[in-house]
């Protein structure tokens, strides 16, 4: 009897030991992806979530997860960027505005004025726009994928409202990185002024990157404006003005050739960069 | 004996057939012994030279006693993390390790004053707290928090009439008043940037009078098991407290639960053994809680006791030193939380102490 009970007890232990490998098989795909993200295995998480999202297009939360995996795969994460992210929401823009006075009596071409206004406005928010993680050109495709994934979240849902802030963050990353590409060689860590930006402009870089940066700038402004109405975020109100500025600039440049832009830029630099 | 054999086989077969969804469980500790045995025994006491697996944390005392107990269960790493977060001593390496290695920790603590006279026990627990966190995804962090705070005052009586030379009947009712506050939050970094922390945390409070009951048969024959049926929160009418709103499982402790235990105690030439099986149920024996079905073995030699226990979610072994006035223990556990890919990742070591005056 003693032997029988001992054997039964041993059997139960063995039965338990043989059970233990069952549970990892029961991980849901989303759980597996989260485990991969915790491990820092972004590519593994992307592979799982891309397949999962194809099979479950209605799952908005997993789309957010996938977007964050794309961003994480190129080193962009809210753990590192949280301070910046929070300041984007709460920053008082007046505290960083740098005063610039146009030379009196000078006539500035309409296009030049728009470019000038745009650059001055961006420079006035330098602590917001310039202190952003650098993303190599090769890695920006991953951020585009993240934005495309975010864009598939069902409209009108709570998930869409929540994801607007993350979408704005990703657009901000793309805008700022393409914007900086217009000024090769300029040291953004020194918080350049609007004048510094004007003086560092090079026509070809400006032409190549302006549309890309404006696309993201407008989308960023859209997200922030949405959040202004939904969450009453302070910067949302400013975003509406910036969007208007971006649209006006794009309108002015629509029918302008590269040679004409060169003339405009030279004129601006002659006025400000003596 | 054939029926017993059949019962054990049935349990094994039942264990093999289970499959279940899982959220993170919070262990709300109210007894060192129940933690060590994973719910089989809440106390150990002697009855006519046999060792009895007690259904409650208080054992009878012929001479009477007054006790003050302090119990704290947490693992060292969790305490270090809490300290660093509290001091805002955060760096990149810490954050990376937090998600990779320490993305889940829980802790609980309890202070209890007891007065025991023979079979009657009065208990006051002014503070019984537990808490846990879980973080996922450093790219877009999601944070899950839960904290519970309870106070309880109650009285229990244990009655052990003799049925025969080999068996005692066990009956132990407990009546108590308890108030509990549950605070929990599940949010992402996006939420913290746009909403105050206070608004991210939900609160649920409950209080009322309730009762526990244990009854069973204590066997003094080593090969005949003692049987105990135990019911907690028997008059709780709510179906759930946090329900499925939270990432964590905390409802179990505050809702009606019943369990059946079979235990064998053997007195060796040197030391004593108790081994047994605990079958927990949700409600009044409504649904077998397969997650918490456990079997354990304990060996006691003088003041030192060792434990081995297994359940589908946790394997553990531990030691307990009991000097009569204080208890000091340690438990190493492999737990499955969030269906971890590798069992070794969720390895926890707990250190706990109890003090009886």
């Amino acid at each position: 009897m003693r032997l029988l009970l001992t054997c039964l007890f041993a059997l139960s232990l063995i039965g338990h030991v043989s059970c233990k490998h069952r549970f990892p098989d029961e991980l849901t795909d989303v759980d597996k992806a989260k485990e991969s993200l915790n491990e820092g295995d972004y590519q593994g998480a992307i592979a799982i979530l891309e397949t999962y999202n194809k099979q479950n297009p209605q799952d908005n939360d997993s789309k957010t997860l996938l977007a964050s995996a794309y961003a994480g795969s190129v080193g962009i994460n809210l753990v590192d960027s949280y301070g910046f992210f929070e300041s984007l929401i709460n920053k008082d823009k007046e505290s960083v505005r740098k005063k610039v006075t146009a030379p009196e009596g000078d006539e500035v071409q309409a296009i030049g004025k728009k470019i000038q206004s745009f650059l001055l406005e961006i420079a006035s928010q330098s602590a917001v726009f310039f202190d952003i993680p650098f993303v190599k050109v090769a890695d920006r495709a991953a951020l585009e994928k993240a934005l495309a994934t975010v864009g598939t979240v069902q409209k009108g849902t709570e998930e869409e409202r929540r994801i607007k802030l993350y979408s704005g963050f990703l657009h901000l990353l793309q805008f700022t990185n393409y914007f900086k590409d217009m000024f090769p060689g300029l040291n953004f860590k020194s918080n350049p002024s609007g004048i510094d930006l004007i003086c560092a402009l090079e026509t070809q870089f400006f032409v190549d990157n302006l549309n890309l940066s404006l696309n993201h700038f407008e989308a960023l402004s859209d997200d922030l404006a949405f959040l202004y109405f939904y969450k009453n975020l302070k910067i949302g109100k400013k975003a509406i003005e910036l969007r208007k500025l971006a649209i006006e600039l794009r309108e002015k440049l629509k029918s302008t050739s590269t040679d004409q832009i060169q003339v405009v830029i030279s004129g601006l630099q002659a006025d400000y960069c003596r | 004996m054939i029926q017993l054999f059949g019962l054990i086989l049935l349990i094994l077969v039942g264990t093999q057939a289970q499959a279940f969804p899982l959220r993170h469980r919070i262990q709300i500790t109210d007894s060192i012994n129940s933690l060590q045995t994973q719910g089989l025994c809440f106390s150990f006491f002697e009855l006519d030279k046999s060792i009895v697996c007690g259904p409650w944390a208080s054992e009878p005392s012929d001479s009477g006693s007054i006790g003050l107990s302090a119990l704290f269960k947490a693992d060292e790493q969790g305490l270090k993390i809490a300290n660093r977060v509290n001091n805002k001593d955060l760096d990149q390496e810490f954050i990376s390790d937090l998600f990779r290695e320490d993305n889940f920790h829980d802790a609980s603590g309890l202070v209890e004053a007891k007065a025991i006279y023979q079979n009657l026990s009065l208990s006051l627990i002014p503070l019984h707290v537990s808490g846990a966190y879980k973080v996922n995804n450093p790219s877009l962090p999601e944070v899950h928090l839960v904290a519970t705070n309870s106070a309880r005052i109650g009285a229990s009586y244990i009655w052990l009439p003799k049925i025969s030379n080999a068996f005692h009947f066990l009956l132990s009712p407990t009546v108590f008043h308890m108030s509990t506050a549950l605070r929990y939050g599940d949010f992402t970094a996006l939420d913290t940037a746009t909403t105050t922390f206070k608004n991210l945390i939900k609160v649920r409070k409950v209080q009322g009078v309730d009762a526990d009951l244990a009854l069973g048969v204590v066997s003094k024959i080593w090969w005949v098991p003692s049987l105990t049926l135990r019911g907690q929160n028997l008059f709780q009418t709510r179906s759930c407290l946090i329900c499925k709103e939270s990432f964590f499982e905390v409802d179990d402790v505050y809702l009606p639960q019943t369990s059946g235990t079979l235990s064998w105690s053997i007195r060796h030439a040197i030391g004593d053994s108790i081994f047994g099986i605990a079958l927990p149920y949700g409600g009044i024996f409504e649904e077998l809680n397969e997650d918490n079905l456990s079997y354990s073995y304990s060996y006691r030699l003088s003041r030192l006791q060792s434990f081995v226990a297994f359940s589908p979610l946790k394997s553990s072994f531990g030691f307990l030193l009991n000097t009569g006035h204080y208890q000091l223990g340690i438990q190493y556990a492999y737990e499955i939380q969030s269906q971890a890919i590798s069992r070794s990742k969720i390895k926890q070591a707990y250190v706990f102490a109890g003090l009886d005056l």
Side-chain angles (χ1 to χ4, degrees), chain B residues 7 25 56 60 87 99 106 137 142 147 170 185 229 242 250 269 274 287 311 331:
Chain B
L7 173 64
R25 293 184 314 143
W56 310 126
N87 294 330
F99 285 93
D106 67 347
N137 189 7
E142 58 180 65
L170 181 151
L229 300 175
I242 298 183
V250 292
I274 286 189
E287 187 184 355
S311 67
Q331 182 186 62

Side-chain angles (χ1 to χ4, degrees), chain A residues 8 12-13 16 20 22-23 26-27 31 34 37-38 64 68 72 77-80 82 85 162 165, chain B residues 18 20 92 95 99-100 136-140 142 191-192 194 295 310-311 315 336 338-339 341 343:
Chain A
L8 283 172
S12 69
L13 292 181
H16 173 77
K20 75 175 179 182
R22 290 186 294 117
F23 301 103
E26 291 177 9
L27 272 174
D31 280 342
K34 286 184 183 180
L37 289 168
N38 285 344
T64 309
S68 71
N77 64 72
L78 281 184
V79 171
D80 293 334
Y82 188 75
F85 184 72
R162 287 167 61 129
L165 197 54
Chain B
Q18 66 178 322
F20 45 83
Q92 188 50 43
I95 301 286
F99 285 93
R100 191 178 304 115
N136 278 325
N137 189 7
S139 179
L140 179 54
E142 58 180 65
D191 299 317
T192 60
T194 57
Y295 32 90
F310 300 97
S311 67
S315 303
I336 292 182
S338 185
Q339 300 138 311
I341 292 172
R343 202 178 185 130

Side-chain angles (χ1 to χ4, degrees), chain B residues 70-87:
Chain B
L71 169 64
F72 180 65
K73 184 213 83 176
D75 55 281
E76 187 191 2
Q77 186 61 12
L79 291 173
K80 280 184 186 169
I81 289 166
N83 188 46
R84 284 191 73 165
V85 170
N86 191 45
N87 294 330

Side-chain angles (χ1 to χ4, degrees), chain B residues 285-342:
Chain B
F285 293 104
E286 283 173 12
E287 187 184 355
L288 179 64
N289 187 341
E290 294 169 338
D291 297 4
N292 293 335
L293 188 156
S294 65
Y295 32 90
S296 68
Y297 170 78
S298 163
Y299 176 76
R300 188 171 69 169
L301 179 64
S302 185
R303 299 183 188 281
L304 187 63
Q305 204 165 358
S306 61
F307 304 85
V308 174
F310 300 97
S311 67
L313 299 180
K314 183 178 173 183
S315 303
S316 63
F317 73 92
F319 301 95
L320 185 64
L321 175 67
N322 189 344
T323 68
H325 289 298
Y326 66 84
Q327 296 172 313
L328 197 61
I330 189 165
Q331 182 186 62
Y332 295 98
Y334 284 84
E335 291 182 69
I336 292 182
Q337 292 282 359
S338 185
Q339 300 138 311
I341 292 172
S342 165

